[in-house]
């Protein structure tokens, strides 16, 4: 009950911003940032530093020393004279990240998407859908080819088609965004406000 | 004419409160993405393992918690074992554990036997990659610090590829990461539940067949609950959602009329 009351009070403080900016809103905003940062820090210490570095060291697993030291080198960024040392672990991160990412990402987001355009076609409706999808992808991409476009009638028409498709996409995204935000309000009213009134 | 924004908020608040307070409900008709999602989960057999990743912050729990609760109920009712974890988000641990524990108690399921909650592990993408090589190099303990090597999971699951399906419930781009590192690389079939904002982006992966099904936003949760015959938070919120949408439509319409009539003058 006390926790519910605190929740309700904090919600009212946040919602008070809708009227105008005020100290109650500012206090709650800072509280949220502080609690989130504190929680995140503790989780990283518990599940990261202790579980992945200290615990293995305690059990005699020395393989964590080099990655552990590389991780600790990030602390050097705090001091201007030694900040350059933090670039070495960063280089490892960027190198391994790029190596891991490039191949599978291209396959997932480009190759599989392109190959799916020609497969699973199962009737006239599907053929129309694929054609619209193909034209929308092509015309939207064409709109951004500023160096290639020569401002001919065809250029204007095809780039204009791209704009129409993009506007439809933005409209759909806006609709979904409204739904998302209203869902948050519904949850607050349903699970907190209506419990008290 | 200028309307003060405070009035708009007040009307919006009323339009949401009235349907919720009166318990008004509308009929929800499931769409193809949700039907596909339901069929994919229904295709799992008794004793199969389903990996469920929670990749969202508590700030989006309004949309995603109803999905998790319905999904856990669906999996438990089919006696599918659940491996729940949050490797791509460190803030959902406690909430996720609470959700699965609550769902398990309704179906009489036991922790560390019928379901496992593993929580967060640092590493993100490299952790996902390693799950495909050796699951226990990433996770050695459950969220409640039970040693995994002492549990039945250790016998049945060696890598993430041993799971029959992976379902990501997310509010960001994590589904694409999981598609990249788990689906594409290790061939684990995937489905997703996501916030309404992200749903538009994931339709491309659904249409290409990379996702077996998708739940989009609170409406997706409501449709899924309808298919399961459950009256959860998703279905309860749809009447309020409809009223609020009608209000937004009217406001957009009024704004446009005002704008164009102003231009004519």
């Amino acid at each position: 009950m006390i926790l519910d009351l605190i929740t309700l009070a904090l919600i009212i403080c946040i919602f008070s911003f809708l009227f105008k900016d005020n100290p109650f809103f500012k206090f709650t905003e800072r509280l949220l940032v502080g609690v989130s940062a504190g929680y995140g820090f503790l989780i990283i210490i518990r599940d990261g530093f202790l579980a992945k570095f200290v615990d293995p060291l305690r059990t005699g697993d020395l393989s964590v020393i080099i990655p552990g030291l590389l991780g600790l080198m990030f602390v050097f960024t705090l001091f201007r004279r030694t900040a350059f040392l933090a670039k070495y672990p960063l280089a490892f991160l960027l190198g391994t990240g790029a190596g891991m990412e490039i191949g599978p990402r291209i396959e997932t987001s480009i190759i599989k998407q392109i190959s799916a355009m020609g497969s699973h076609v199962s009737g006239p409706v599907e053929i129309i859908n694929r054609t619209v999808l193909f034209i929308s992808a092509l015309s939207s991409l064409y709109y951004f080819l500023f160096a290639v476009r020569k401002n001919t009638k065809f250029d204007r028409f095809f780039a204009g088609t791209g704009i129409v498709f993009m506007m439809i996409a933005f409209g759909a995204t806006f609709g979904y965004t409204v739904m998302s935000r209203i869902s948050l309000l519904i949850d607050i009213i349903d699970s907190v406000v209506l419990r008290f009134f | 004419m200028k309307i003060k924004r405070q009035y708009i908020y007040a009307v919006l608040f009323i339009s949401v409160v009235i349907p919720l307070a009166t318990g008004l409900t509308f009929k929800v008709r499931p769409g193809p993405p949700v039907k596909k999602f339901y069929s994919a989960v229904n295709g799992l057999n008794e004793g199969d393992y389903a990996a469920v990743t929670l990749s969202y912050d508590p700030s989006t729990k309004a949309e995603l918690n109803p999905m998790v609760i319905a999904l856990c109920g669906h999996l438990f009712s089919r006696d599918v074992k659940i491996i729940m974890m949050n490797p791509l988000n460190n803030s959902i641990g406690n909430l996720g554990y609470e959700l699965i524990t609550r769902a398990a108690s309704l179906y009489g399921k036991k922790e560390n036997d019928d379901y496992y909650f593993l929580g967060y592990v640092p590493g993100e993408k490299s952790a996902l990659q390693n799950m495909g090589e050796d699951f226990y190099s990433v996770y050695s303990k459950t969220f409640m610090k039970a040693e995994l090597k002492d549990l039945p999971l250790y016998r049945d699951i060696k890598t993430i590829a041993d799971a029959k399906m992976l379902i990501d419930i997310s509010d960001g781009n994590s589904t694409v990461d999981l598609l990249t590192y788990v689906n594409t690389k290790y061939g684990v079939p995937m489905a997703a539940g996501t916030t309404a904002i992200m749903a538009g982006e994931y339709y491309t992966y659904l249409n290409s067949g990379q996702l077996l099904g998708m739940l989009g936003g609170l409406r997706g949760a409501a449709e899924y609950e309808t298919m399961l015959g459950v009256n959860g938070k998703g279905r309860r919120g749809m009447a309020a959602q409809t009223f609020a949408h009608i209000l937004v439509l009217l406001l957009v319409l009024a704004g446009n009329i005002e704008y164009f009539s102003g231009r004519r003058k």
Side-chain angles (χ1 to χ4, degrees):
Chain A
M1 186 64 185
I2 294 168
L3 278 177
D4 290 339
L5 278 171
I6 294 171
T7 309
L8 183 67
L10 292 174
I11 287 170
I12 291 168
C13 286
I14 288 286
F15 275 8
S16 67
F17 182 76
L18 299 177
F19 185 67
K20 66 176 188 178
D21 201 359
N22 61 74
F24 296 105
F25 169 75
K26 280 203 165 72
F27 164 75
T28 317
E29 191 187 31
R30 281 155 177 72
L31 189 72
L32 176 71
V33 173
V35 169
S36 305
Y39 183 79
F41 180 73
L42 274 179
I43 293 287
I44 292 292
I45 292 291
R46 193 192 72 163
D47 295 342
F49 185 68
L50 293 178
K52 294 287 175 189
F53 183 63
V54 177
D55 288 351
L57 271 184
R58 274 189 191 149
T59 54
D61 180 5
L62 300 178
S63 67
V64 296
I65 288 179
I66 291 174
L69 287 175
L70 278 170
L72 286 172
M73 281 171 78
F74 277 114
V75 177
F76 288 122
T77 46
L78 298 174
F79 313 102
R80 193 183 289 175
R81 294 180 71 181
T82 55
F84 73 97
L85 286 169
K87 287 181 180 169
Y88 293 100
L90 198 64
F92 272 95
L93 276 183
L94 290 175
T96 50
M100 273 168 55
E101 189 99 8
I102 293 170
R105 186 69 78 175
I106 289 172
E107 195 178 342
T108 304
S109 298
I110 299 177
I111 295 171
K112 282 198 170 185
Q113 292 283 315
I114 293 171
S115 63
M117 285 289 283
S119 59
H120 315 299
V121 180
S122 57
V125 178
E126 190 68 13
I127 291 171
I128 293 168
N129 279 345
R130 291 292 159 88
T131 311
V132 172
L133 205 65
F134 182 68
I135 293 169
S136 65
L138 220 59
S139 58
S140 303
L141 279 172
Y142 192 74
Y143 173 76
F144 290 101
L145 296 177
F146 302 110
V148 176
R149 276 166 37 202
K150 300 251 171 22
N151 207 25
T152 62
K153 259 187 179 176
F154 172 78
D155 283 335
R156 284 198 298 273
F157 171 75
F158 203 50
T161 310
I163 292 176
V164 171
F165 280 118
M166 280 189 277
M167 286 300 160
I168 294 170
F170 295 150
T173 307
F174 172 72
Y176 269 132
T177 307
V178 170
M179 186 161 96
S180 241
R181 300 297 175 240
I182 299 293
S183 300
L184 301 180
L185 182 65
I186 290 171
D187 183 54
I188 287 169
I189 293 174
D190 188 34
S191 56
V192 183
V193 180
L194 287 180
R195 284 178 67 179
F196 289 93
F197 301 104
Chain B
M1 194 180 74
K2 204 169 182 180
I3 307 171
K4 273 191 165 183
R5 64 192 175 104
Q6 284 85 349
Y7 291 131
I8 294 173
Y9 292 131
V11 177
L12 182 67
F13 187 78
I14 292 165
S15 72
V16 171
V17 165
I18 290 174
L20 286 173
T22 55
L24 189 70
T25 51
F26 287 153
K27 196 177 174 188
V28 179
R29 197 177 295 162
V34 177
K35 283 181 182 167
K36 284 181 185 174
F37 186 97
Y38 178 85
S39 305
V41 176
N42 245 14
L44 296 169
N45 299 315
E46 184 184 334
D48 283 348
Y49 280 88
V52 178
T53 50
L54 306 181
S55 316
Y56 61 96
D57 289 319
S59 60
T60 48
K61 75 181 178 70
E63 287 181 274
L64 301 173
N65 274 8
M67 288 180 198
V68 177
I69 292 165
L71 175 65
C72 288
H74 194 184
L75 291 168
F76 282 144
S77 69
R78 298 192 60 77
D79 290 321
V80 174
K81 293 176 189 288
I82 302 175
I83 310 165
M84 192 177 269
M85 51 196 160
N86 50 305
L88 297 173
N89 185 302
N90 64 16
S91 62
I92 196 72
N94 292 63
L95 182 61
Y97 182 69
E98 190 193 316
L99 287 178
I100 196 168
T101 309
R102 203 192 311 159
S105 66
L106 294 174
Y107 290 86
K109 299 293 180 184
K110 284 183 196 156
E111 188 177 356
N112 298 338
D113 189 13
D114 299 311
Y115 73 95
Y116 303 85
F117 191 83
L118 307 182
Y120 172 72
V121 68
E124 301 200 345
K125 290 165 191 173
S126 54
L128 295 180
Q129 178 114 336
N130 286 343
M131 280 185 210
E133 309 290 331
D134 176 11
F135 194 78
Y136 303 98
S137 69
V138 181
Y139 282 108
S140 56
K141 290 175 182 171
T142 67
F143 185 66
M144 298 308 282
K145 302 292 172 202
E147 289 284 345
L148 283 178
K149 64 177 189 302
D150 302 329
L151 302 176
L153 181 78
Y154 193 77
R155 185 191 61 221
D156 300 330
I157 298 284
K158 297 294 172 205
T159 70
I160 191 74
D162 293 327
K164 288 280 185 267
M165 194 177 174
L166 171 66
I167 303 151
D168 184 41
I169 308 289
S170 75
D171 63 0
N173 270 323
S174 64
T175 302
V176 181
D177 291 335
L178 286 157
L179 275 169
T180 305
Y181 293 107
V182 182
N183 173 268
T184 301
K185 199 146 189 216
Y186 301 110
V188 182
M190 256 192 82
T194 182
T195 51
I197 292 175
M198 294 305 295
E201 193 175 314
Y202 291 154
Y203 266 99
T204 52
Y205 297 100
L206 183 72
N207 289 338
S208 66
Q210 288 165 279
L211 287 177
L212 298 178
M214 185 178 78
L215 308 177
L218 195 68
R219 186 182 166 82
E223 291 176 8
Y224 189 41
E225 286 171 359
T226 305
M227 293 205 77
L228 293 170
V230 180
N231 195 15
K233 271 199 163 187
R235 281 172 84 179
R236 254 200 333 271
M238 285 324 287
Q241 190 78 253
T242 309
F243 274 87
H245 276 232
I246 291 169
L247 177 68
V248 172
L249 272 176
L250 290 175
L251 288 169
V252 169
L253 206 64
N256 275 278
I257 291 169
E258 171 77 14
Y259 173 73
F260 284 111
S261 61
R263 260 189 13 165
R264 205 166 285 166
K265 280 172 195 168

